[in-house]
Amino acid sequence: MIQLMSVNFDDYIPNWRTQLETLAYNVLVVVREGKVRYEINGEEIIAEKEDVLFIPQAAQRSGGNWNGVPHQKHTILFTLDDQGTTGTGIPFLDAGQCLKFNLSHIQYAYHRCERLYEEMRGGKSYRNMICLGILQELIGMLARELEKTELTPSKRKYADTIKSYLLEHYREPIEIDRLAKLIQRSSNYTAALFKEVYGHSPIRYMHQLRVHEACSLLLQSDMNITHIAHYLGYYDTSYFYRMFKKYTGLSPTDYVHQGDQSDVSMLFT
């Protein structure tokens, strides 16, 4: 039985660090921005943007900002009741080893962490049940990811090269041919490779990045919808409306009226 202890969101904390200690709980770390340095059982581990880190109970851990630069991450602390000889049935939990890996649907994981953090801070009815359900979903996602066929280092490198380019240039027109030239492979291979690694096409990922930023701009800026569309590379505002509704289920106007960015997880399912 999983027992959720606490959920934290470290938002660019200056001089963040944690002293060396033997953990009495398990920790899931989901890094959103920057890098964080840990020493776990005497080994240095650097976790950076889009990395997920599992630190098991009884590990010796210390940590701090990497090179003194603040970062942004979610941390989830939980324990496991005595499972006897059967264990939990989740291999990475039962192995009790530190793991660092990537998720195909990292943006969805970010939003589940956001929802978990907000539910833990609130006092609404059935909070404990909802929080446990979200944590179990995250653990299930991680376990499923680890069951996938191991990717070759070259495939991971190519996919990461494409993803880094998209993260920097998603507001610009994106063509598969251009992405293919980055890794010197064919367009068909490039699109298939990215989908194999991350679970969706490069173009879909570009739209997800654009729509995610649109959600923030709609609620947190004074830009109008046409300006936001153009800023994000949608020079046909009606096309922006269609893409926004496709990924959120709402029109931009309805999203503003709803006025709540706490659960946009449907963007990345």
Side-chain angles (χ1 to χ4, degrees), residues 242-259:
R242 291 198 300 273
M243 288 298 100
F244 192 92
K245 188 164 187 177
K246 176 180 179 180
Y247 288 101
T248 68
L250 298 168
S251 71
T253 303
D254 289 341
Y255 184 79
V256 172
H257 289 160
Q258 178 177 282

Side-chain angles (χ1 to χ4, degrees), residues 22-260:
T22 300
L23 297 179
Y25 44 79
N26 302 283
V27 184
L28 275 181
V29 180
V30 184
V31 184
R32 296 192 68 132
E33 296 288 346
K35 298 181 181 181
V36 55
R37 176 192 175 277
Y38 286 103
E39 185 173 308
I40 301 172
N41 295 330
E43 178 184 357
E44 182 183 62
I45 296 178
I46 307 297
E48 56 188 303
K49 181 177 181 178
E50 301 193 355
D51 280 343
V52 177
L53 182 64
F54 171 67
I55 309 174
Q57 183 175 336
Q60 289 191 314
R61 177 216 61 184
S62 64
N65 287 330
W66 183 78
N67 283 350
V69 179
H71 60 275
Q72 192 180 60
K73 71 178 184 298
H74 303 276
T75 55
I76 304 169
L77 281 56
F78 65 97
T79 60
L80 302 170
D81 288 348
D82 183 12
Q83 302 294 317
T85 59
T86 60
T88 65
I90 305 295
F92 82 90
L93 291 182
D94 293 336
Q97 297 177 341
C98 182
L99 291 173
K100 186 180 79 169
F101 47 94
N102 300 113
L103 275 174
S104 299
H105 300 288
I106 187 64
Q107 298 291 341
Y108 181 74
Y110 287 158
H111 290 291
R112 300 312 288 154
C113 288
E114 289 173 5
R115 179 66 183 276
L116 181 57
Y117 178 67
E118 290 162 2
E119 286 288 345
M120 284 290 288
R121 296 177 68 198
K124 295 181 180 179
S125 56
Y126 307 109
R127 182 190 70 174
N128 291 341
M129 181 179 294
I130 291 171
C131 289
L132 181 59
I134 295 172
L135 176 57
Q136 289 175 329
E137 180 187 10
L138 286 168
I139 290 173
M141 289 171 63
L142 301 181
R144 180 179 291 172
E145 193 79 13
L146 290 169
E147 283 186 346
K148 291 183 177 179
T149 302
E150 187 69 25
L151 294 167
T152 64
S154 61
K155 282 188 174 182
R156 173 64 69 180
K157 180 180 178 181
Y158 290 152
D160 287 347
T161 297
I162 296 166
K163 188 172 187 178
S164 294
Y165 180 87
L166 292 171
L167 284 166
E168 293 182 11
H169 299 278
Y170 65 91
R171 289 168 48 201
E172 304 169 13
I174 300 294
E175 296 180 357
I176 296 297
D177 288 347
R178 170 59 182 153
L179 301 179
K181 288 180 180 178
L182 291 175
I183 61 172
Q184 299 182 332
R185 292 294 185 271
S186 70
S187 297
N188 288 340
Y189 178 87
T190 300
L193 168 69
F194 193 87
K195 187 169 185 177
E196 178 184 355
V197 176
Y198 292 112
H200 43 247
S201 72
I203 301 304
R204 178 184 174 90
Y205 184 61
M206 175 201 73
H207 286 303
Q208 289 176 345
L209 292 171
R210 288 180 175 185
V211 172
H212 181 238
E213 184 163 355
C215 289
S216 296
L217 292 173
L218 285 166
L219 296 183
Q220 300 174 13
S221 78
D222 58 1
M223 297 167 65
N224 61 38
I225 292 174
T226 299
H227 189 185
I228 290 172
H230 289 181
Y231 174 76
L232 294 174
Y234 295 114
Y235 300 106
D236 180 347
T237 305
S238 63
Y239 182 62
F240 168 67
Y241 268 81
R242 291 198 300 273
M243 288 298 100
F244 192 92
K245 188 164 187 177
K246 176 180 179 180
Y247 288 101
T248 68
L250 298 168
S251 71
T253 303
D254 289 341
Y255 184 79
V256 172
H257 289 160
Q258 178 177 282
D260 181 8

